[in-house]
Amino acid sequence: MMNAHTARGRTARRRMETKDVVLIALFCAIIVVLGLVPPVDLGVAGVPITLQTLGVMLAGAVLGPVRGALACALVVLLTIAGLPVLAGGRGGFGVIPGPTGGYLLGWIPGAFVTGLLVTVLATRPRSRLARQAATAAACLVGGILVVYALGVPWTSVSTGLSLRQSTVTALYFLPGDAVKAVVAGLVAHNVRQAYPIERR
Amino acid sequence: MTPRLSLYVPGDTPLHRVPAAWKLAALLLSGVGMFLVTSPAVLGPCAGLAAGALLSVRTPPRQLARHLTGPFVVLALVVVAAVVFQSAATAATVGLRLAALLLAALAVTLTTRTSEILDVLERVLRPLERTRLVNAAAVGLAVSLALRFIPEAFHRFHEIREAQAARGLSGSPLALLVPLAVRMLKSAEDIAAAVDARCYPPPPAARRADAAPSPARSPAPAGRTDEEATG
Amino acid sequence: MRIVLESVTVRFGSRTVLHDIGLELSESRVGVIGPNGSGKSTLARLFNGLVLPGEGTVRVDGLDTSEDARAVRERVGFVFQNPDNQIVLPIVREDLAFGLKNTGVPRREIPERVERQLEHFGIAHLADRPSHALSGGEKQLVALASVLVMRPDLVVLDEPTTLLDLRNRNVIRAAVEALPQQAVVLTHDLDLLTGFDRVLVLDGGRVVHDGKPRTAVPWYVEHCS
């Protein structure tokens, strides 16, 4: 339907259409639901982890930088509005100044960078394996590096720990997040094959 | 089996009656303020005040305990870490500051309807609309759609999980997430069509004023009713 | 009101979904039948500008859907096949108000109109329910109500009974029959067409038969099954 719908009147700078708003809301719902469902054992040191941050990487990798970042911004908005949308039913304004507030806010640039890197790296290679690897790499950089870059200093400000110490805390979550990034890369790749959409 | 999607507890305490905008502004200001202060002598009374505010809400104790357990486990860890790695003074500052913020935020969250908070948000966004960076109607729609589709996504997730279990596949994230994301993407087209069919987006006039009578039925000036509908 | 299609062709990519269709619809009840993929849904979406013709024009009461899609949508209501995707807001009452807010109905009139529409369908008790928790039949009624509350002059219904069980099918059938508006109904449910003024049979993107239900339905059963 979309083809015919947009066939006419396409402007030079594509503006936000209803379908973009819908996609943003749907991926926000996916991120929230992945935090609500019971944690999954991904086989890392026997620590069950929630899939919520996987949803964050997925949003960037599937929807693209702008819409992916907006889907995460929407989750942040719902959190601030007092809805229990974070893993373990957390929510409310109090999350932001807390020790994990930076990670939450970091999702927004994290999804953006993930989306950007997927666009740059993962659309060119011919081989399936190379594209999967590139998508996973994008999730690693966007979903971990960028998110931690905001999360770690925030923890340090919020808790009075030194930067080095909050980095050590973050390292505890690194193995789980790394596995999630790889899974997110595979999922995003398969989703895009099953249902390709224009990335923005 | 669907998640309960609001922390609001109905009631008629003084804090329930304070307009949402004031509560949120106070929360924001005190949040910023408390990060500028390091003296436990100031932060202590702040935490006490926040605890008082929370108690004034008269939430059933069991419910309150449920809301507080998680945050306070984190708080305890933070305090212990601060004592071990820094000093008792830092631990007091950090602990009291976080406790005050958590308690005050919970008090606001418990006494303010989600719809009120979103109304405040829309009021804040509206002046920004002129910059053309923000579209308040789109933000409102996105929030509503997300609230509508969180239970739906939850339901679909469990459907897929059951279907996988029936075929003997045990919750591999790949087998769960690919179908979930694909189904959501597929429905996006239909949902967008349904939203468009009901005349979204509202014309700027409808967003601004309730006063003007609807010109809906008057014949539209040729070719210039709404560029967004076709663009 | 009159819907006029002049040599309308619709393509999605390289696939032609509708071939050079010319039609004029003004009857009170028009049915559209045809196999899956025959172009029914696309035809219906032309009537309110959700799909725009690649070639030719669609005029609703003289308004070109390519130019005045918004004005057309205020006159032509559209009920989708799957109410799960049509109910867009979390609470029933909010969902009914959605279209009214979009068309600039004054805010103080909205609650009353919503209330009256719900009462009209005997579902006032659902007003404050979360929309995801409704049964299939209730969802379809809410979807129909959320379109009718906007008081369109014509209602297009895309397979309104396909996803329903027998009892709910009867409820929706009765609701469709009782519509005071003009209606165009796409359906596989041939019983629904009894008493219709006109039935179009679509196949392969062309109107292959056009007549009264008494001739069109047997023609369809013979040629397309």
Side-chain angles (χ1 to χ4, degrees), chain A residues 116-143:
Chain A
L116 211 58
L117 289 178
V118 170
T119 312
V120 175
L121 300 175
T123 43
R124 300 232 178 92
R126 284 277 174 81
S127 93
R128 188 187 154 84
L129 194 68
R131 281 200 310 268
Q132 282 177 338
T135 314
C139 291
L140 278 166
V141 175

Side-chain angles (χ1 to χ4, degrees), chain B residues 3-26:
Chain B
R4 210 179 100 75
L5 257 189
S6 174
L7 299 176
Y8 175 74
V9 178
D12 192 32
T13 68
L15 210 50
H16 276 93
R17 288 195 294 266
V18 176
W22 295 19
K23 281 186 274 193
L24 291 172

